[in-house]
Amino acid sequence: MAGPILRTTNLCKDFGPVRVLFDMDFELQPGEIHAVIGENGAGKSTLVKILSGYHQPTEGQVLLRDRPVKFQSTKDAEDAGICMIHQEFNLANDLTVEENIFLGKERRRGLFLDKRYMKEHSREVLASLETDVSPNARVKNLSVSQKQMVEIAKAVSRNADVLIMDEPTAVLTRSEINVLFRLIRSLQAKGVSVIYISHKLDEVKELADTVTVLRDGYKVATQPIGELTEDMMATMMVGREMKDMFPDKDLEPKPDTVLDVRGVTSPGYAVDCSFHLKRQEILGFAGLVGSGRTELMEAIVGLRQRSSGQIEVNGQTASIHAYRDAISRNIVYLSEDRKGKGLLVEKTMGFNLTLLALKQYVRRLGMIDETAEAVSLRKAIEEFEIRAPSNTAVINTLSGGNQQKVALGKIMEVDPEILILDEPTRGIDVGTKQQIYFFIHELAKQGKSIIVISSELPELIGVCQRIIVMRSGHIVGDVSGAAINEEEIMRYAMGIKGGNNNEQQSAG
Amino acid sequence: MSSKAPAETQGASRFTLDFRTLGPFVALALLMILGTMINATFISSANLTNVLTRSAFIGIIAVGATFVISAGGIDLSVGSMAAFISGVMIIAMNHFVNTVGVNWTTVMIGMGLSVALGLAAGLANGLVTTKGRIDSFIVTLGTMGIYRSLVTYLADGGTLSLSFQLRGIYRPVYYGSFLGIPIPLWAFFVVAVIGWIVLNKTRFGRYCLAIGSNADVAAYSAINVDRIRTLTYVVQGLCVAVATIIYVPRLGSASASTGVLWELEAIAAVIIGGTALKGGTSRLWGTVAGAIMLSMIGNILNLTDAISQYLNGAVQGVIIIVAVLVQRSGKGR
Ligand SMILES: Nc1ncnc2c1ncn2[C@@H]1O[C@H](COP(=O)(O)OP(=O)(O)OP(=O)(O)O)[C@@H](O)[C@H]1O
Ligand SMILES: [Mg+2]
């Protein structure tokens, strides 16, 4: 039996004065699916970015088939057969899907690009992913899950020996995940080795052969999956026992309705949607990706065109035409697209934190009170336990989970009464997820009302008092109390139940 | 996926930050040393005052351009806008000489008109860009042609001249000085200080940077993106108006060739100063240094026989390209 295909010895990585990886000895065996897990900021992405040539190690070595390699760029690594799917989308927004898949690897015939071949090949790869994305679509017009599928298609089409996936499923639905897993297994059967980073421990348990746990830049353990349970993995990651993932369901909504949505239609996405939200209620929105949940919420808060519909806030008709109208009524929306719509990735944490609530910081002569901003930043860092290299860190240098905490801090700055949280725990580790669930619960306890959109049903079931199900732009189900269970919700989401709407009204 | 490794170490990013901020000033200092070595008269206070005064027009316009560019836009119309405003000012003042008389009131009317026209022209650029959802490059390329042909039309293809009696009154605005410093320099300084404060210390300035950095995120932060964008063009228009007010008494005339290529010099000053053309950052003092450098290059070429002064544009061009290369290598991308 041959040795590991990819191996690191004493790998260390510094960002300026801060060391984020310590003496990492990591081994990837040929043909295995090797999961890497750990809390936000543990160093998972940094490790795989070194393996794929995106970063260079400060100390230590990377060995490919026992030969030391020094990749200067991701291209070097790709040429050596190591390909990575980034946690952050790395697609060119203005190019088409096909152009992205072949970016840097364009196929030529004579002087010209072999368009026919590339189109055919893109279509094949996309078909193997069972996605309906067209090779001609522009990437900027795709939804996040479609973009993720394109990322995957791009990596798969490169025929790598080592495929690295950094949280590929964070934005995918269960059925898309199933397709992806089938694809990964078939690649494994062809001898491809896979490194798989995820915060979803159930997926890790289902897919991986081996698990490596990182904590604070150190390797805690590498073990075969058979020896581990999800709880054991969580404990190893967090360094303490994890129990009571979800808060008690001890809250009842108050009788008064704070948000009443009637017949809202957003052309192409949401059709004639009506629902209401009570004070102190935690209301979940379930549905497949593309069912129009995000678009409905964006239409409600004025971020998207609304062709009809009425919105009442606290019993009064509210004319919300722009997001600022919603903000002035204390309604906030946390976008699912953290990097595209939530945060300015090239700006500092502080710049982002106060951007939504900047009005509150304006003093005499329109000047911003920078001292007050600094105080807020320190408070947010403490309250959300944001782990950043420094207080002036640029968002780009934060780990994914810590970016999400900044995004949460940003919307809390306006002291909202109604919170619409779109995939609030996307890319967040178990420990932090738990914190966020308790945080939502605490907000409700303070009399605030919360809508949670999530593709993770266990999460909705764990925190919500009531769950609305959407399909193809329609609200098709509304379950509460004992009726809240996965099967029931899936029946609505798939159209087995509550199918009184025509299926032609498909949403994007 | 074939991207190069990004700037990764924090130490390096702190260094490049300083470098980006200080770069233009270092370059300015080097240019001054070079100028002195070439010809000692360069460093004489008379020559330096002259250079600085000449940089004031471009400098003031470039302050406005810093707003537009940091918010992710571009304004190509500033040169012809200045020419058009000069033309209208001169016609109006000549007209009012007959009714109001040869006095400051007439000049003040001209100045007020300049400001009003600048604001209106900027507003037009801004509204067409935002409401029409047209790229600012295209819109201002259009208005650039419009303003230029309007001034040609007003001057009937020739030159518009300010009445000689008025010139005497208006003259000090360019040639006069206060506390030993020429008025145009004061204006440049005041405009730059105000510009810096607005960009760096106010909500409007913060919003400009946010929009330039990512307009979607700005919209999702409840910022009225169209309004802020429009306002940046209005600020630009105001700066052009102020520059024109100082420019008119210098020659006392306007023609089709007034302000030609000013837009490029203004944009060059902004870029040399370290503001990124794609938006999201601003270096206002860098812009000031950039404007001074541009006028200094012309001056140094005048003082030496080594390079013909007709190559002024070439030298400026080389410096712009080098500046951008240096900034990018400093950034590590
Ligand atoms: N370019 C950078 N400059 C400075 N610090 C960085 C940079 N990139 C990452 N870091 C820091 O390195 C640490 C590890 O980050 P990394 O992205 O590897 O975490 P992760 O395990 O992938 O977390 P997550 O689950 O949140 O994605 C974090 O503290 C992060 O702030
Ligand atoms: Mg990561």
Side-chain angles (χ1 to χ4, degrees):
Chain A
M1 183 74 206
I5 175 161
L6 193 61
R7 184 155 71 91
T8 69
T9 54
N10 291 319
L11 199 67
C12 297
K13 178 66 186 172
D14 298 348
F15 287 113
V18 189
R19 176 151 291 193
V20 300
L21 276 190
F22 300 84
D23 301 320
M24 191 69 61
D25 292 325
F26 176 83
E27 284 187 359
L28 179 68
Q29 307 299 335
E32 78 170 341
I33 300 176
H34 193 137
V36 178
I37 61 174
E39 285 183 287
N40 296 130
K44 306 179 295 293
S45 296
T46 306
L47 171 65
V48 293
K49 278 180 182 169
I50 293 175
L51 296 180
S52 60
Y54 194 81
H55 286 324
Q56 281 73 44
T58 310
E59 285 169 31
Q61 270 190 328
V62 179
L63 298 104
L64 180 65
R65 298 189 182 87
D66 274 330
R67 228 169 296 148
V69 282
K70 279 203 162 62
F71 300 133
Q72 293 305 322
S73 68
T74 51
K75 190 167 178 329
D76 289 355
E78 267 181 41
D79 292 344
I82 302 174
C83 203
M84 161 143 152
I85 299 170
H86 278 263
Q87 178 173 17
E88 302 87 22
F89 295 124
N90 222 2
L91 301 170
N93 262 323
D94 288 315
L95 298 185
T96 65
V97 169
E98 173 216 319
E99 284 161 345
N100 265 288
I101 289 178
F102 278 92
L103 197 65
K105 286 267 182 286
E106 288 82 357
R107 186 72 174 224
R108 282 167 201 288
R109 224 171 51 197
L111 273 179
F112 300 98
L113 293 178
D114 190 350
K115 277 269 170 201
R116 244 226 336 257
Y117 169 82
M118 295 199 286
K119 192 144 292 166
E120 286 288 293
H121 191 73
S122 310
R123 193 160 283 142
E124 256 169 48
V125 179
L126 290 168
S128 74
L129 284 166
E130 296 174 31
T131 159
D132 55 0
V133 181
S134 149
N136 301 323
R138 295 227 172 258
V139 164
K140 65 175 170 210
N141 297 330
L142 300 181
S143 71
V144 274
S145 81
Q146 288 172 322
K147 280 187 199 168
Q148 184 68 69
M149 286 314 219
V150 174
E151 275 277 6
I152 294 170
K154 179 174 164 184
V156 167
S157 74
R158 312 252 149 141
N159 294 323
D161 300 326
V162 176
L163 191 58
I164 301 173
M165 304 191 166
D166 195 352
E167 292 190 47
T169 60
V171 300
L172 301 183
T173 52
R174 190 59 236 183
S175 58
E176 287 168 319
I177 292 171
N178 288 340
V179 174
L180 176 65
F181 281 10
R182 274 206 299 280
L183 182 87
I184 293 177
R185 291 213 181 86
S186 78
L187 289 171
Q188 181 186 24
K190 288 182 200 153
V192 176
S193 320
V194 179
I195 300 178
Y196 183 87
I197 297 178
S198 179
H199 286 293
K200 300 182 184 171
L201 299 178
D202 50 338
E203 287 178 4
V204 169
K205 181 79 191 159
E206 181 184 337
L207 183 72
D209 305 313
T210 314
V211 180
T212 289
V213 185
L214 305 189
R215 195 196 306 148
D216 297 328
Y218 289 93
K219 186 173 98 173
V220 179
T222 296
Q223 284 185 21
I225 194 73
E227 298 173 1
L228 293 168
T229 64
E230 280 176 47
D231 283 342
M232 286 160 72
M233 287 191 264
T235 309
M236 274 172 22
M237 273 172 61
V238 185
R240 62 184 156 85
E241 190 113 22
M242 292 282 311
K243 51 183 179 203
D244 298 331
M245 194 64 191
F246 298 107
D248 291 337
K249 291 211 168 177
D250 55 353
L251 290 176
E252 279 295 316
K254 292 264 174 350
D256 46 328
T257 299
V258 291
L259 180 69
D260 197 350
V261 173
R262 286 197 221 122
V264 166
T265 296
S266 174
Y269 296 106
V271 187
D272 195 21
C273 293
S274 304
F275 70 93
H276 62 83
L277 177 71
K278 299 225 182 281
R279 184 172 308 287
Q280 222 177 68
E281 185 170 32
I282 306 174
L283 171 63
F285 265 76
L288 305 182
V289 168
S291 56
R293 296 168 298 170
T294 294
E295 290 80 2
L296 171 61
M297 295 307 158
E298 288 183 347
I300 290 171
V301 299
L303 281 164
R304 190 176 279 277
Q305 200 82 42
R306 214 168 44 222
S307 61
S308 68
Q310 263 200 358
I311 295 157
E312 277 186 12
V313 180
N314 295 322
Q316 283 172 339
T317 307
S319 64
I320 298 176
H321 298 293
Y323 187 30
R324 55 187 177 280
D325 301 332
I327 297 288
S328 69
R329 288 179 174 81
N330 293 316
I331 307 175
V332 291
Y333 169 71
L334 176 78
S335 172
E336 61 170 342
D337 186 357
R338 188 166 60 219
K339 295 205 145 191
K341 291 171 178 151
L343 296 174
L344 298 168
V345 294
E346 289 167 356
K347 296 283 170 204
T348 61
M349 291 196 286
F351 192 108
N352 277 283
L353 185 74
T354 56
L355 195 57
L356 184 60
L358 206 51
K359 229 180 237 172
Q360 297 165 16
Y361 293 90
V362 175
R363 302 284 182 269
R364 241 167 1 104
L365 297 168
M367 303 281 211
I368 296 171
D369 185 345
E370 289 173 5
T371 323
E373 282 190 294
V375 171
S376 297
L377 177 61
R378 274 200 299 277
K379 273 209 317 236
I381 289 177
E382 202 170 303
E383 181 176 356
F384 293 98
E385 295 177 25
I386 299 171
R387 283 197 223 158
S390 77
N391 278 15
T392 53
V394 171
I395 295 295
N396 257 338
T397 68
L398 263 53
S399 77
N402 283 301
Q403 292 176 3
Q404 183 70 351
K405 293 182 192 173
V406 176
L408 265 178
K410 173 180 166 183
I411 61 162
M412 290 313 296
E413 277 286 300
V414 295
D415 199 9
E417 285 300 317
I418 300 173
L419 295 93
I420 304 176
L421 308 176
D422 200 345
E423 305 285 0
T425 66
R426 171 172 291 170
I428 280 187
D429 68 53
V430 271
T432 313
K433 269 187 188 168
Q434 186 191 34
Q435 280 176 3
I436 288 183
Y437 301 146
F438 279 83
F439 177 70
I440 292 174
H441 188 256
E442 184 56 34
L443 286 176
K445 212 177 206 167
Q446 291 165 14
K448 305 193 188 298
S449 317
I450 299 132
I451 293 174
V452 182
I453 300 180
S454 175
S455 302
E456 289 182 50
L457 273 184
E459 161 173 305
L460 286 183
I461 294 168
V463 292
C464 298
Q465 298 148 352
R466 181 160 70 98
I467 293 174
I468 286 177
V469 189
M470 283 186 74
R471 189 180 73 251
S472 305
H474 296 266
I475 289 180
V476 292
D478 185 336
V479 292
S480 53
I484 297 189
N485 63 63
E486 258 184 72
E487 294 72 34
E488 181 76 357
I489 293 169
M490 281 318 288
R491 273 198 283 275
Y492 283 114
M494 313 278 291
I496 301 164
K497 227 176 144 175
N500 50 344
N501 300 295
N502 56 355
E503 293 301 303
Q504 265 69 284
Q505 296 272 22
S506 87
Chain B
M1 255 184 228
S2 52
S3 60
K4 274 290 200 61
E8 45 173 54
T9 57
Q10 225 209 340
S13 75
R14 195 177 300 139
F15 168 75
T16 54
L17 196 101
D18 282 345
F19 189 78
R20 269 207 108 163
T21 319
L22 292 178
F25 303 101
V26 174
L28 184 60
L30 290 177
L31 199 59
M32 288 179 71
I33 294 170
L34 183 75
T36 315
M37 277 165 28
I38 286 175
N39 190 332
T41 43
F42 170 81
I43 204 74
S44 70
S45 77
N47 185 56
L48 280 184
T49 311
N50 179 28
V51 169
L52 290 173
T53 309
R54 276 163 177 267
S55 70
F57 315 122
I58 296 298
I60 291 170
I61 293 173
V63 168
T66 311
F67 281 83
V68 174
I69 292 175
S70 71
I74 191 108
D75 190 343
L76 299 175
S77 70
V78 291
S80 28
M81 194 193 289
F84 171 63
I85 295 175
S86 309
V88 176
M89 257 179 103
I90 289 171
I91 292 174
M93 285 190 291
N94 286 347
H95 172 79
F96 283 113
V97 164
N98 302 325
T99 50
V100 181
V102 181
N103 51 33
W104 264 105
T105 316
T106 304
V107 175
M108 294 298 268
I109 291 174
M111 291 180 173
L113 192 63
S114 168
V115 169
L117 281 173
L119 294 175
L123 188 67
N125 278 340
L127 288 178
V128 176
T129 307
T130 54
K131 298 293 167 218
R133 308 242 153 262
I134 308 172
D135 200 78
S136 57
F137 187 94
I138 307 294
V139 172
T140 58
L141 191 63
T143 52
M144 170 168 134
I146 294 172
Y147 299 141
R148 177 69 59 202
S149 89
L150 281 178
V151 71
T152 317
Y153 169 76
L154 290 177
D156 209 7
T159 303
L160 291 161
S161 297
L162 186 59
S163 104
F164 270 96
Q165 302 117 299
L166 267 183
R167 284 193 196 189
I169 296 176
Y170 199 168
R171 219 182 117 82
V173 172
Y174 182 78
Y175 292 98
S177 55
F178 176 66
L179 298 178
I181 293 170
I183 303 286
L185 260 185
W186 278 112
F188 185 12
F189 181 70
V190 170
V191 168
V193 168
I194 295 175
W196 184 84
I197 293 173
V198 173
L199 256 180
N200 291 282
K201 299 287 167 191
T202 69
R203 191 149 67 105
F204 173 65
R206 201 58 89 72
Y207 285 172
C208 288
L209 296 182
I211 292 169
S213 191
N214 183 333
D216 278 341
V217 175
Y220 278 71
S221 304
I223 295 171
N224 191 340
V225 174
D226 283 355
R227 198 171 90 187
I228 301 292
R229 276 209 171 124
T230 305
L231 279 176
T232 62
Y233 293 95
V234 174
V235 169
Q236 173 74 86
L238 183 61
C239 288
V240 172
V242 172
T244 309
I245 287 172
I246 296 164
Y247 176 77
V248 168
R250 183 176 165 211
L251 298 178
S253 66
S255 71
S257 60
T258 301
V260 167
L261 292 185
W262 281 11
E263 60 283 339
L264 293 188
E265 288 204 32
I267 293 166
V270 175
I271 303 304
I272 293 173
T275 299
L277 191 57
K278 70 179 169 64
T281 61
S282 73
R283 299 266 188 282
L284 203 116
W285 292 113
T287 298
V288 171
I292 295 173
M293 273 164 76
L294 289 176
S295 111
M296 223 170 243
I297 293 166
N299 180 255
I300 292 173
L301 293 183
N302 269 335
L303 294 175
T304 172
D305 297 327
I307 306 176
S308 159
Q309 56 169 307
Y310 295 126
L311 286 173
N312 187 4
V315 176
Q316 285 186 354
V318 169
I319 293 207
I320 293 165
I321 294 170
V322 168
V324 172
L325 282 177
V326 168
Q327 283 162 16
R328 191 169 43 191
S329 70
K331 249 181 102 186
R333 292 202 178 161

